[in-house]
Amino acid sequence: MYFISGILAIIIVVLAILQSRKVEKIEKEEEEQINFESNENIKLYNTQNDEIEEVNLNYYLLCVVASEIPFKYEYEAIKAQAVVARTYLFNKIVNNLEEQGDVCDDYNHCQAFTQLEKLREIWKNKGFTESEINEGEEKIKKAIVETKNQVIVYNGEIIDALFHASSPQKTEDAKAIWSCEDVPYLKSVDNVEDETYENRTSQTTIPYSVFKNTLIDNGYVEDITNDDFFNISISEYTDSGRVKTIQVGSYKIKAEDLRTLFGIKSTNFSIDIDEDNIVFNVIGYGHGVGMSQVGANTYAKQGKTYDEIIHHYYTGVDIVDGYTVQRRND
Ligand SMILES: [Zn+2]
């Protein structure tokens, strides 16, 4: 009898210990959760359902960084992207740049934003294991927490932290492609990129009829003759070596407009024309302005830290700690 009660007592004690460990574990998980969450929420405009959602600032940054850069990239490159993403968002808020909310989820307008649950599904479909996915998520969370409140400024003003995927050799000057005012921190700089990047070079082939009709439909030309087509040439380059304009008959067309019209990966291209098609042979991916993500990863592999990477791509900037967002409409 005593023997059985003894055993029972031991079982009860063991169960109690296990239970308290479980509680501790849950508390620890909750604590980690709380530490990751920011005290601030932002207003995210959901372009799919036309609604504004309140989301936690750090959750927004997690989804942006995870949507914008592969989690397998070097940690310092991910940290750089975290500071860039925060800066990009705060600039939108401080300067009241959006019509709806603080920022939207459309990567053509703001930064890419996919909900975490959906991202995890995408990663799973790409063949990543559950533990790789968890590690990737933790890596990005850590980068956001470690760079908490850090943003990029130029002369004390928050910058427009533009970035793109790849620009082998040189990034682009904002003024050169958008004919905007001079932006002192968005200048062309030398760039080194991993040559194994899958979109380092690409080709876009557009049939003559599609090329002609798209330009006519979008008001770039009134008409193009066969002769005009066969004599298409590059008329001007920017200082970084990208195409600035091409000549089609009597029309000059901006390469940046061609890039967005035809989905050409960058304006760093050469042209071939055969009987039926215009072929763009392209180097790099994106507008080429600001930080190159492939370059950031390459520099991180060489031992550069996230702040060195940021200083490399944004000329004359400072990274400040403890920036507080002042909403103009508050
Ligand atoms: Zn937007």
Side-chain angles (χ1 to χ4, degrees):
M1 187 66 190
Y2 283 125
F3 178 68
I4 291 170
S5 338
I7 292 211
L8 265 180
I10 288 166
I11 289 172
I12 288 165
V13 168
V14 167
L15 281 177
I17 290 171
L18 284 179
Q19 181 61 25
S20 80
R21 285 220 178 129
K22 202 170 155 198
V23 169
E24 257 173 41
K25 196 172 166 236
I26 290 169
E27 276 173 358
K28 199 165 167 251
E29 274 169 9
E30 275 174 0
E31 197 183 307
E32 274 169 10
Q33 188 70 26
I34 290 160
N35 284 345
F36 176 69
E37 278 208 1
S38 158
N39 296 327
E40 255 184 277
N41 285 344
I42 63 142
K43 295 183 189 77
L44 175 68
Y45 175 50
N46 183 330
T47 52
Q48 303 294 310
N49 63 13
D50 196 28
E51 275 174 18
I52 293 173
E53 295 161 10
E54 286 255 332
V55 295
N56 187 263
L57 166 64
N58 281 357
Y59 175 74
Y60 168 77
L61 293 176
L62 167 65
C63 296
V64 167
V65 174
S67 306
E68 288 284 3
I69 200 165
F71 65 68
K72 286 285 179 185
Y73 270 23
E74 295 290 316
Y75 183 57
E76 291 298 317
I78 290 178
K79 272 173 88 175
Q81 185 79 52
V83 176
V84 164
R86 185 181 298 107
T87 305
Y88 189 94
L89 166 72
F90 285 4
N91 179 52
K92 288 270 176 183
I93 298 175
V94 169
N95 292 306
N96 211 3
L97 299 178
E98 293 283 292
E99 277 179 24
Q100 305 265 21
D102 295 329
V103 73
C104 75
D105 61 2
D106 178 5
Y107 71 91
N108 283 313
H109 192 256
C110 289
Q111 313 187 87
F113 175 94
T114 305
Q115 297 282 358
L116 184 61
E117 213 175 304
K118 177 92 188 137
L119 281 168
R120 291 183 63 99
E121 210 180 289
I122 294 168
W123 293 332
K124 203 174 161 193
N125 291 338
K126 280 186 177 172
F128 289 113
T129 64
E130 186 76 11
S131 77
E132 279 177 313
I133 291 171
N134 289 340
E135 253 173 55
E137 188 186 317
E138 285 311 309
K139 190 174 169 185
I140 297 171
K141 281 182 169 175
K142 194 172 163 221
I144 291 165
V145 172
E146 274 187 17
T147 62
K148 193 178 157 192
N149 298 328
Q150 291 184 18
V151 298
I152 311 165
V153 299
Y154 181 87
N155 274 348
E157 300 269 340
I158 193 152
I159 71 161
D160 184 8
L162 296 177
F163 58 92
H164 61 280
S166 154
S167 51
Q169 285 124 28
K170 270 180 190 295
T171 66
E172 184 55 296
D173 185 326
K175 192 183 171 186
I177 55 164
W178 292 310
S179 308
C180 55
E181 276 184 30
D182 186 62
V183 188
Y185 55 83
L186 294 177
K187 293 290 179 191
S188 174
V189 298
D190 287 337
N191 192 26
V192 176
E193 286 187 4
D194 204 331
E195 290 181 19
T196 57
Y197 171 57
E198 56 184 357
N199 290 314
R200 186 178 173 94
T201 58
S202 60
Q203 224 174 37
T204 302
T205 302
I206 300 155
Y208 171 42
S209 58
V210 174
F211 186 74
K212 177 178 168 172
N213 292 334
T214 308
L215 290 183
I216 293 172
D217 292 349
N218 288 281
Y220 285 93
V221 299
E222 271 175 32
D223 200 8
I224 299 176
T225 64
N226 281 1
D227 235 25
D228 293 339
F229 184 73
F230 288 117
N231 290 308
I232 289 174
S233 63
I234 291 168
S235 43
E236 209 182 336
Y237 288 92
T238 69
D239 290 343
S240 82
R242 284 176 178 74
V243 178
K244 189 162 190 173
T245 51
I246 69 163
Q247 190 78 36
V248 185
S250 59
Y251 303 96
K252 256 195 175 69
I253 300 167
K254 282 185 187 167
E256 179 60 10
D257 292 350
L258 292 175
R259 182 179 77 86
T260 48
L261 270 182
F262 296 104
I264 303 163
K265 286 199 165 66
S266 98
T267 55
N268 190 354
F269 59 72
S270 63
I271 296 172
D272 285 328
I273 294 177
D274 62 29
E275 272 189 23
D276 309 305
N277 304 294
I278 178 165
V279 181
F280 294 89
N281 306 297
V282 188
I283 299 172
Y285 196 177
H287 50 55
V289 178
M291 185 176 79
S292 149
Q293 293 167 320
V294 178
N297 193 42
T298 309
Y299 285 120
K301 274 185 193 164
Q302 292 176 0
K304 289 229 173 7
T305 58
Y306 77 99
D307 50 319
E308 287 173 330
I309 292 167
I310 288 169
H311 281 112
H312 175 74
Y313 288 112
Y314 303 101
T315 308
V317 298
D318 294 306
I319 300 170
V320 294
D321 213 334
Y323 187 87
T324 46
V325 180
Q326 298 283 343
R327 287 169 193 272
R328 286 220 171 155
N329 48 358
D330 275 0

